[in-house]
Amino acid sequence: MRGVAYTVFQGTKPEAMDVEVLGVLTNANGPKGDVILIRLTGTKVEYTGVVAGMSGSPVYLNGKLAGAVAFRIGEFSKEAIAGVTPIAEMLEISALDRNPSAPIEATSAAHLPSKTAGPGIAKTPSQDSAKSDFTNYLKPIETPLVFNGFSEGTVQRFASQFSAAGIVPVMGAGSVSDAKQPEPLEPGSAVSAILVRGDMNIAATCTVTYMDAQHLLACGHPLMQFGMVDLPMTKATVLATLASPLNAFKIVNATETVGSFVQDRHNGILGEFGKKADMIPVTLTIRGESADKQFHYEVLNNARLSPLAMMATVFNALHGVNEYGEETTYRMSGRISVDGYPDLTMHNMFAAADGGQPGAMLAAISLGDRFSRIFDNPYTVPAIHGVQLDFDIVRERRWARLESARTDITEARPGDEIAIEAMLRPYRGEGVVQHIPIHIPTSTSKGPLRILVSDGDTLDHFRRGSSLLGRKLDLAATIAFLNKEHVNNRVYVSLLEADPEAMIADKVMPTLPLSIMNVMDGMRGTQDMLVSSESSVNEAATGPLDYVVAGAQVLTINIK
C-alpha cells in the first residue's frame, strides 16, 4: 500500500512525505501492540532521515488515518524507514480519559529504558549494564526535551537524575516563549509539552497525529509514561531540521499555550484544548553584594519530577549569578504553601564542607528533600500553590567544626542549671567558644545522664532514627514534622535519659514507664509509632551563628 505522511520541517506548515508500507511487525510494541513498517520518501525526508521531533506524524493510507510515525529502525540508516503506531491503539487513550471510572494509575518509567530523549542515544544505568546482552533496532523516536535558560554545569550535575526519571536533557535545540502563533494546529503540526516555564524552561516537542474539537493525540509513544499528567500544551515553530546520520533533530520554539496534556500513555499523549494546567508558581530572590535578582517560573505538579525540577532550577539560579563559587555561603529562608495546610517554612544556612558539595547544591538538595517528603505520602495528593525562596549570599565559606565540648562538673541534682562550653573551629579561622546553659528537669532520674552537644542534622537524625525513613506519615504530620527540624547554624545541647521514648506521627512522648510501653507495644503494627531507647528530657541552643555548624560530642554526668 502507498500513502502520505505529514510533518513540519521548517516553520509551522506540515509538508507531505510519500509512504510505502513494507509490512506489519506483530507484537513489536508489547503484547498485541503491532507496528506498521513504512518507508518514507521525498526530497526532504530522504535528506534528513527520521528525525527527533517527528514522533506523531500522521500517516494516511487510502485517505484514511492509519496511525502515527513513532519508531526509528537501527542506527546510521541510509533509508528513512520508520514504525507506525496504529491509530486504533492511540484512540484508546482518549477513551480512557473520557471514562472517569476507568482504573487509571500513574506509573513511573524510572526502571525502564528512557522514553524521552534528545539528540544522541539515551541511556539509563540499566541500559548500560545490559548493553552487551541485547540489541534493540526498533526504538521510539526521540522527543527532544530541551532545557532553555540552564547552564551547562547545572545540566551536567542533574543529567543522571533526569535520566533515571526517563529524561535525557538537551541544550541549544530550542526555546520557550508566550509569543502568539496565528497559524492553527492541524495534523502534522509541531506541538510542545512544558515541564518548566518562565525564566527557565523545559519543553518536549513532537507532532500532532489526530484532532477533534476538544482533544488532540500526539507522539505515538509515551513521553515518560506517567499516566495522568497536567502539562501546558503549546503550539510550536520549527526553526530548522538538522540532518545527521547519528542524531538528526528539529530545532523548535514553543509558543502560545492552547490547553493541557492530560494523559501520557504507552501509545501516545492526549491533550485537551482550553484546559489550564495546574503548575506550581515559584518566586526566587537572590540578594548579592552587587544587585538583587528575582526569578519567576512554574514547575509541573508531579510526584516524581517536581522535586527534581525544583532542585535543578534552584541550583541553576544560584549557579547563574556572578557571586557563585565553591566557597560561597547561602542563607535561605522561604516557604512552601500547600492548600488546606500550614505553610512548610524553611530557614537554614548552607556552606561547603571539606571535600563536599558546594553550598548551592546543598541548598537544592535540602529543598528537593522537602518536596519529596510532601509528595511521598500515601494519604493525600498535595495541592502546592506556591513556593517563595530568598537567598542571601556571603562570598566566603562560613563553616565551623565542633572541635570540643565540656562541662566543669561531673555531678548535679535535679533542678540544677549547668553550663556547657563548646569550642567551634571555623574554616581557616580562630577558635570560637560558645557557652550554653541548660536546666536539668526536676523529674530527672538518678544515675548517669548523657549530654549530646551537636549540630542540627545530628540531633534530627537522633530524634527520628533510621527507621523513620520507611515511615509514611500523612500530609499534616509530614509538614508538622518538617517544620520541627533543627537549623544548622546553631549548637544544640540535649539531655538524654535512659528511658524509652515513643514517637507517633510527629508527636513525641518521652520517658514512658515500662508498663505504658508494654501496652503500646501492641500498637506498632497499626500506628506510625517509633520507639527509641533514650528520651530527650530537655534541649537548649545557642542563638543563630554566622556559621554552618558540623560535628557532635557526648558528655556524661551523674545525677544524685
Side-chain angles (χ1 to χ4, degrees):
M1 300 177 71
R2 294 184 179 274
V4 65
Y6 293 92
T7 199
V8 177
F9 288 96
Q10 186 171 1
T12 59
K13 185 65 180 173
E15 299 183 46
M17 304 173 285
D18 292 326
V19 170
E20 177 190 355
V21 176
L22 303 177
V24 176
L25 301 176
T26 305
N27 298 333
N29 189 24
K32 293 192 175 181
D34 297 344
V35 172
I36 305 167
L37 195 64
I38 63 170
R39 178 186 286 115
L40 297 168
T41 57
T43 304
K44 290 189 176 180
V45 74
E46 288 176 5
Y47 175 69
T48 64
V50 180
V51 303
M54 193 179 279
S55 303
S57 299
V59 176
Y60 298 89
L61 302 174
N62 296 330
K64 296 180 180 179
L65 180 58
V69 174
F71 299 90
R72 67 162 77 240
I73 309 295
E75 305 285 350
F76 300 100
S77 303
K78 293 186 177 181
E79 290 185 285
I81 295 177
V84 173
T85 299
I87 189 60
E89 297 180 10
M90 296 182 68
L91 289 171
E92 291 177 3
I93 304 169
S94 184
L96 273 176
D97 190 64
R98 291 172 185 172
N99 180 8
S101 62
I104 301 173
E105 291 291 338
T107 57
S108 163
H111 62 290
L112 299 175
S114 178
K115 296 295 192 304
T116 300
I121 301 171
K123 295 180 181 179
T124 64
S126 61
Q127 283 178 285
D128 288 333
S129 60
K131 186 175 179 182
S132 61
D133 296 336
F134 72 94
T135 300
N136 183 15
Y137 282 118
L138 182 74
K139 296 185 292 187
I141 299 170
E142 296 91 341
T143 303
L145 206 134
V146 177
F147 284 58
N148 180 251
F150 286 79
S151 67
E152 184 177 355
T154 300
V155 175
Q156 285 179 342
R157 283 183 181 273
F158 291 95
S160 61
Q161 296 178 61
F162 278 109
S163 180
I167 294 172
V168 174
V170 179
M171 296 179 64
S175 65
V176 177
S177 72
D178 56 0
K180 297 299 180 184
Q181 184 173 314
E183 297 85 358
L185 285 176
E186 58 182 305
S189 295
V191 66
S192 295
I194 310 298
L195 280 69
V196 176
R197 66 180 176 186
D199 291 329
M200 291 166 269
N201 302 286
I202 304 176
T205 300
C206 56
T207 302
V208 177
T209 306
Y210 170 81
M211 291 173 54
D212 60 27
Q214 290 83 33
H215 299 86
L216 67 75
L217 288 165
C219 282
H221 60 69
L223 288 180
M224 293 154 287
Q225 204 168 342
F226 277 150
M228 290 185 293
V229 294
D230 195 11
L231 303 174
M233 176 174 68
T234 74
K235 295 179 180 180
T237 301
V238 178
L239 303 183
T241 299
L242 182 69
S244 167
L246 175 63
N247 55 1
F249 59 93
K250 296 180 181 182
I251 301 174
V252 178
N253 278 349
T255 57
E256 66 175 308
T257 303
V258 293
S260 298
F261 284 108
V262 294
Q263 298 286 340
D264 177 13
R265 299 290 176 175
H266 180 64
N267 289 310
I269 59 176
L270 175 73
E272 182 179 329
F273 291 113
K275 183 180 184 298
K276 188 177 187 319
D278 184 22
M279 303 281 278
I280 301 172
V282 181
T283 299
L284 194 157
T285 303
I286 300 174
R287 297 184 176 90
E289 295 179 8
S290 56
D292 294 352
K293 289 190 177 182
Q294 193 168 75
F295 301 89
H296 299 277
Y297 57 95
E298 296 177 303
V299 301
L300 77 165
N301 200 331
N302 178 274
R304 175 166 292 275
L305 279 182
S306 292
L308 182 54
M310 283 301 306
M311 290 170 61
T313 54
V314 168
F315 177 81
N316 185 62
L318 297 176
H319 187 260
V321 297
N322 289 325
E323 288 88 350
Y324 174 81
E326 298 292 318
E327 302 289 307
T328 305
T329 300
Y330 302 88
R331 297 188 186 95
M332 181 182 77
S333 62
R335 65 180 186 274
I336 300 173
S337 300
V338 184
D339 193 25
Y341 296 88
D343 286 351
L344 194 162
T345 57
M346 295 170 290
H347 299 279
N348 230 333
M349 192 170 172
F350 302 94
D354 292 339
Q357 299 271 22
M361 190 66 180
L362 295 174
I365 291 171
S366 173
L367 183 64
D369 175 68
R370 278 158 172 74
F371 258 78
S372 296
R373 302 268 285 276
I374 289 174
F375 277 109
D376 191 24
N377 78 87
Y379 305 101
T380 307
V381 177
I384 301 176
H385 58 78
V387 178
Q388 175 79 43
L389 296 171
D390 295 282
F391 288 91
D392 290 313
I393 295 179
V394 181
R395 287 196 299 164
E396 60 179 298
R397 188 188 296 189
R398 306 293 294 177
W399 179 87
R401 176 171 53 88
L402 178 63
E403 191 170 72
S404 65
R406 69 183 188 89
T407 179
D408 56 0
I409 62 168
T410 58
E411 292 184 332
R413 297 180 182 276
D416 287 353
E417 183 176 276
I418 62 174
I420 305 297
E421 182 181 279
M423 168 68 79
L424 298 178
R425 179 66 61 181
Y427 175 72
R428 293 178 177 174
E430 298 295 327
V432 177
V433 176
Q434 294 288 327
H435 295 276
I436 308 119
I438 189 167
H439 180 75
I440 299 175
T442 55
S443 59
T444 305
S445 304
K446 293 182 179 180
L449 177 69
R450 297 210 312 156
I451 303 172
L452 174 65
V453 185
S454 70
D455 58 71
D457 285 342
T458 301
L459 183 55
D460 286 335
H461 182 75
F462 165 78
R463 295 296 299 270
R464 64 180 180 234
S466 59
S467 55
L468 181 65
L469 298 177
R471 298 172 70 202
K472 301 291 185 182
L473 305 179
D474 63 35
L475 187 53
T478 298
I479 293 174
F481 191 88
L482 291 172
N483 279 334
K484 292 177 182 176
E485 288 194 335
H486 297 82
V487 298
N488 57 8
N489 63 338
R490 297 176 184 238
V491 178
Y492 292 90
V493 176
S494 299
L495 303 183
L496 307 177
E497 271 197 306
D499 293 320
E501 176 179 272
M503 179 184 293
I504 297 179
D506 62 307
K507 308 297 189 297
V508 178
M509 293 180 287
T511 59
L512 290 176
L514 287 177
S515 58
I516 301 298
M517 287 302 303
N518 289 335
V519 172
M520 295 183 64
D521 193 57
M523 299 169 58
R524 293 199 191 197
T526 57
Q527 300 285 330
D528 291 319
M529 188 171 77
L530 175 69
V531 177
S532 60
S533 58
E534 289 183 304
S535 292
S536 176
V537 295
N538 199 11
E539 183 180 297
T542 63
L545 305 175
D546 199 22
Y547 303 100
V548 175
V549 178
Q553 292 202 11
V554 176
L555 309 174
T556 303
I557 63 172
N558 190 53
I559 302 299
K560 295 193 289 185

